[in-house]
Each structure stands twice: as C-alpha cells, then as structure tokens.
Amino acid sequence: MTRSRNFVPMLVVGVVLIALYFPIMLLANYPAAARALQRGAVLECKTALECSFDMRSPIIPAPAQLLIGFSSLYFPPTSETSVPYNAFFTGLETLSGLLLASIVGLGLSVLLVASRAFERALLPWLVASQTVPIIAIAPMLAVLLGQYGVEGWIPKAIIAAYIAFFPIAIGVSKGLRSPDPIQVDLMKTYNAGSLQTFAKLRFPSSIPYLFTAFKVSVTAALIGAIISESATISGAGLGKMLSENSRASDAVGLWLVMIGSAILGILLVSIVGWLERVVTPWQRNH
Amino acid sequence: MTNAISPLVAVNDVSMIYRTRAPNGEALETVALKNANLEINQGEFISLIGPSGCGKTTLLRLLADLIQPTSGSIGIGGKTPQQAREARAYGYVFQAPALFDWRTVMGNVMLPLEIMGYNLADRKARAENMLALVGLEKFSKNFPWQLSGGMQQRVSIARALAFEPQLLFMDEPFGALDEITRENLNLELLRLWRETGKTIIFVTHSIPEAVFLSTRVVVMTPRPGKIEKIVNVDLPHPRDFDTRESPRFFEIATEIRESLRHGHGYEGNE
C-alpha cells in the first residue's frame, strides 16, 4: 500500500523533470548551434533551433539522442560495456563499503560514547578525515593498496567505506546516548551490569539512528566508489565508464552513465529502507 | 532478627542537599529533604503527598538507591538501600511507563527476568501471569505504541511485579492519566495490593488518590522538603467507588489538605 502511495508522486516528479528538460536543453544547446552555423559548418540542419536537437557533441543531449544512446549503452545488460553491467559492480562495491563502514563506524561510536576524554581526542581527527578531498585521496589509496596486491573492487570498497563510516559513527553514538534517563534508572533498579544495559537498552535504542545514518552513508559511499573507479580506470564500474566517456568527449554517454548512477542511488536507498522495515518492525511510521 | 517487630523500611534523620553552582560562580545549596524520619511496616500502603519540590520523589529515589543521602541512614529489611537494590528487593514504577519501544508487551514484562537470569519457560509463565493480573493478557504481542497511556502504565506495573519483589515503589504512576482512567487504575491497584500482600510506597500529588489507596499518608511540604505530618487512614477494606463519598473520606482529605496548607504557608496568598 505504502509502495503505490509513494510511487505515484514519484512518477509525477519524473514527468515534471522531463517537461523541464526540453526548455533547459534548448537554452543550453541553442547558442552553441547558432555559433556553429555562423562559422559556416556544413550541417544537415538548417536553423539553430533544428540543430539544437542534432549536435554531434551536445551540451545537453536531445531526448532522441538519449534514446538512441540508451539502446546501445543499456542493452544487452550483460555486456561488459553496458551501464547495467557496470552499475552492478559499482553497487557491490558500495554495499561492501557500507558493510565495512558499519563495522568501523559502530566500533568508533562505542569508543566515542565510552569516555568524554576519548571523544575529545578522537572527534577532531574524524572530522579532519572527512575534509580531505576524496578525489585526491582515492588514487593515492588505490596505488598504495596496489603495491600490496590489493586490487579490483577491494580498494574501491575501502574508499567508499572511508566516506561512509563518519555519518554512521556520529549517528550511532547519538543513538547510544538516546535512552531516556528513567530507562537507565530502570536498568539500575534491576541491578543490571553495564554490558547488559548496553545490549538490552543502549544498542537497541541506537538502531533507528543507525538506519538514518545508513541513508546518508549509502549515497556518500556510492559517490566514493564512483570517484575511486574513475581515478583508477581499472576493472569495471560506472566511474570507469565516466572517465572513458569524458576522454572520448561523448556527452550522450556521460549523461546516460549519470542517469544510471542516479537510478543505482535510488535502488540502494530503497534497499536500506526495506532493510529498516524488516529489522525495526516496532517503528510506527513504516 | 525480629522481623515481626522491626519495620520493613526505616528512615533515620535523612537529609538530601543538592550542591550546584550559580552562573556567577556562587555555590548554591538546595535542601531537597531535611531530617526525614519514617518507619514503614510490612504490608502497608504508604502514600507520600505534597506539592512539587517537597522531596517526595527524592525520598523514593533515596530508598531505591538511585541517589545517596547527604546524611542520615536508611534500612530496608535490615539492609542498606544499595544491598537491597543488589538483592533486587524492590520493584520501581516510574512517572512515565518507560517501556522499550522495540519489545512487545510480553517482551517488556520479561525484561527484568532476562536480566536476572530466569530461564525461558519461567520467564514466559511469570510474564503471562503478571499480564493477566493487570488485565492485558490479550495484548502480549502488541508493541507499546499500540497501547493507550493507561495500558502502557499497567504494563510497567506488570513489569515491576514480574520478579515478585515484596516491596513496590511507585512514583506518580498515574499522574499523566485522565481522572477516569486514574480512578479505575486506583481500584485495580488496591485489588492487586490486597491479593499479593506487598508493601507499597506511592508518590502522588492527588489528595483523593492518597486517601483512597493508603493505610497511612505521609504529608510533605517544600522549602526545605520535609515530612509535615503522618495521617492514619482508617477507612475499612475493601474500598470501592462509594468509599470516596463517605464522610470519613472527606474528614481525612480535609485533615491532609490543612496540614499541606500549614506547612506551605498558603493562607496568605490564596
């Protein structure tokens, strides 16, 4: 029920975006097409308006161009040069990165909550780690790991995890501190040990926070995976496709890869949402 | 030990002073409770009544070892409050139900039993018994948010009773409920007290509630928090809705109201 209720508004937004696409595309392409005509290029089209739909290297591709590109870049999906094939690998890297980030993030959140001194010592470094431009650190990490024979999808998952662990560590440490004081008092009246209080009160309280963090982390991890792929240009992945297409100045290809990564992002966030519904059946607003 | 004679709970000259610092650095002292003396016998139903800041919740938290007194001593069945807490000698019902959202009603009632290491069969049997006692056996699989406030508080009472402590501390458990629900739960609590023979110490700011439930009412007044008077409630048992309309009920309620005024100095500003 909630499914279909969400789906219709989502489609409406999609239709609005497509309707906006035409004028924006014309605004982007018209000046370039007009300049090409002025220079006296030999073109099949006669007017700048006509040419806006038919440029070899458009700034924003026309819908017809996208459709033609779509059939060659998305089919067959099992082809090594297709968007779905590469998106599959990027998705796997992102999810393994998220798994790794959860382990690191949960560990850090426990440390952050365990002592204020630890939090003061650790937190500035965690913040610093996130301000380092990922685009600089990704190729470096890939080379570094490559020296020790770690290649393929693993360095990319590690870079995805590098971006994704931070929201998890911060979100979960807030969750671990979220129990009501009277719930903590209640555990004290049972003479519960700190381990029991953690397992039966603090950890379960933090699970909704964990999923909120996941929703932020998964999109960040996806960007991390794509950037590391485009930096290394090895194996498979959407990032690798982006790099190759931009070298070949294939604007239509770039746009189709971007659309592919947007779809992958929506898919990954809905996987997290589904997992949340399964793991936390007690939450009323599912 | 001569348990038959010595009181179950003995409060000897207990004071509680909170020391804080004002924004200008000046040391502040708040006397939450001053030289309290109280003895409670096995099987009694004692209400602590008074306005905000009279130290009634402080006294209950001291008995439960959730805080420690600045001076004086407390004995619970011959033990210190800490020893009593470690021996799981009491159940505590808080102002809010404090149920765990992620546990079903059944799971919430089983929580203390899990912590205390009861086996699964025992946990289930006890939790089912307690839910039946508070009339919620049909809701065992529901999550807390699916229950009304009154039902949630009944779950928290079942949870406090699950490991069958002989002593029950209740801190304004019905304070957030509407009058009609509150009166029904009062009746239910009295039945429960008579059936189980427990000793109950009950914090409230409602005079009718205190008179209706208690064997004795401890009247407390603020600034500093102290025990003003202890009023004996000699209304016969079993009590029901008619009890609230008997002349003796009003006499006792009036006596409590007057001693609350006396300690508070209300005459001037009313």
Side-chain angles (χ1 to χ4, degrees), chain A residues 182-183 185-192 196 200-201 204-205 281-284, chain B residues 61 65-66 85-86 88 94 96 98-102 112 114-115 143 145 159:
Chain A
I182 66 172
Q183 291 178 321
D185 278 345
L186 180 75
M187 295 301 274
K188 204 177 167 197
T189 69
Y190 299 148
N191 194 32
Q196 282 177 319
K200 296 204 185 290
L201 176 59
S205 306
W282 68 83
Q283 295 211 78
R284 75 183 80 186
Chain B
R61 290 174 65 82
D65 189 42
L66 292 174
R85 181 173 65 79
E86 284 167 1
R88 286 135 177 177
F94 292 85
L99 300 178
F100 290 6
D101 295 340
W102 52 92
E114 273 173 45
I115 290 166
F143 283 111
W145 66 268
R159 180 181 59 186

Side-chain angles (χ1 to χ4, degrees), chain A residues 201-218:
Chain A
L201 176 59
R202 292 193 185 279
F203 182 67
S205 306
S206 77
I207 291 176
Y209 291 79
L210 175 68
F211 277 103
T212 306
F214 268 167
K215 283 174 196 164
V216 179
S217 281
V218 74

Side-chain angles (χ1 to χ4, degrees), chain A residues 27 70-71 82 88 91 94 146 164 177-178 204 218-219 230 233 241 252-253 258 262 266 273 282:
Chain A
L27 275 175
F70 182 79
S71 61
S82 81
F88 177 77
T94 305
R177 287 202 180 106
S178 71
V218 74
T219 49
S230 84
I233 325 188
M241 287 187 87
V252 178
M258 283 196 288
I266 292 173
W282 68 83

Side-chain angles (χ1 to χ4, degrees), chain A residues 136-149:
Chain A
I137 215 165
M140 222 167 63
L141 253 171
V143 171
L144 183 79
L145 291 166
Q147 283 183 329
Y148 297 94

Side-chain angles (χ1 to χ4, degrees), chain B residues 171-191:
Chain B
D171 185 5
E172 289 184 42
F174 310 137
L177 305 176
D178 63 86
E179 195 64 26
I180 297 158
T181 310
R182 177 196 279 235
E183 286 187 1
N184 282 324
L185 287 179
N186 281 346
L187 209 60
E188 224 173 297
L189 181 61
L190 259 191
R191 172 182 61 81

Side-chain angles (χ1 to χ4, degrees), chain A residues 15-45:
Chain A
V15 168
V16 169
L17 284 178
I18 289 168
L20 282 174
Y21 188 87
F22 273 94
I24 291 170
M25 182 215 64
L26 279 177
L27 275 175
N29 291 349
Y30 188 85
R35 272 198 306 277
L37 278 175
Q38 256 174 12
R39 281 200 304 267
V42 185
L43 298 167
E44 284 175 33
C45 50

